Amino acid sequence: MSYEPPTPPADLPTDIIDTLNEYSPELLRDVARYAEDLAEYREREARLAEADEEDEIDERPDDLPDDVPSKATITIKEINDNRYYYWQWREGDRVKSKYRSPVNPDE
């Protein structure tokens, strides 16, 4: 451990350096723990957001229309004794549907 004060990082704003220089050792350790926890949290959030974007891209079916969200699932509706595939998803409190195709009886 050096007897000289540490040199702050060049990209650290002057007002933060000045504020930290006024803090007690205990408060500086609290700030350091908080800063480390905050950095880990933001890195985790960035990784999760990136993973969500990758999942959204990877999971989007080829035949999914542009106006249907990737979270939509395929459901079967029976109308007048005929069965049809529909894309279905939730928007707020409402369930939205969009016609996809008739159900093939051989399936």
Side-chain angles (χ1 to χ4, degrees), residues 90-106:
R90 182 172 291 283
E91 285 185 8
D93 294 338
R94 299 186 61 197
V95 174
K96 300 276 193 152
S97 297
K98 181 169 178 139
Y99 173 78
R100 180 176 177 237
S101 64
V103 173
N104 184 346
D106 297 332

Side-chain angles (χ1 to χ4, degrees), residues 5 14 17-18 21 33 35 38-39 42 44 51-52 54 56 59 62 69 78 83 85 93 99 104:
T14 305
I17 295 168
D18 293 341
N21 282 332
R33 279 190 293 274
L38 183 59
R42 289 194 177 165
R44 181 176 54 250
D52 284 347
E54 288 174 4
E56 197 171 297
E59 293 177 5
D62 293 336
E78 189 166 326
R83 294 167 33 129
Y85 288 118
D93 294 338
Y99 173 78
N104 184 346

Side-chain angles (χ1 to χ4, degrees), residues 7-18 20:
T7 303
D11 58 344
L12 196 61
T14 305
D15 59 330
I16 292 176
I17 295 168
D18 293 341
L20 291 174

Side-chain angles (χ1 to χ4, degrees), residues 42-58:
R42 289 194 177 165
E43 288 168 346
R44 181 176 54 250
E45 290 297 308
R47 283 192 309 271
L48 290 173
E50 184 177 304
D52 284 347
E53 288 173 8
E54 288 174 4
D55 289 347
E56 197 171 297
I57 292 168
D58 293 344

Side-chain angles (χ1 to χ4, degrees), residues 22-85:
E22 296 174 9
Y23 287 175
S24 69
E26 295 80 19
L27 190 53
L28 286 170
R29 292 189 198 296
D30 289 342
V31 169
R33 279 190 293 274
Y34 172 73
E36 188 63 35
D37 290 347
L38 183 59
E40 288 177 12
Y41 169 79
R42 289 194 177 165
E43 288 168 346
R44 181 176 54 250
E45 290 297 308
R47 283 192 309 271
L48 290 173
E50 184 177 304
D52 284 347
E53 288 173 8
E54 288 174 4
D55 289 347
E56 197 171 297
I57 292 168
D58 293 344
E59 293 177 5
R60 190 168 179 88
D62 293 336
D63 61 341
L64 186 65
D66 290 336
D67 59 342
V68 174
S70 61
K71 63 184 177 183
T73 58
I74 295 176
T75 59
I76 297 175
K77 292 185 179 185
E78 189 166 326
I79 302 170
N80 296 330
D81 295 326
N82 295 308
R83 294 167 33 129
Y84 302 95
Y85 288 118

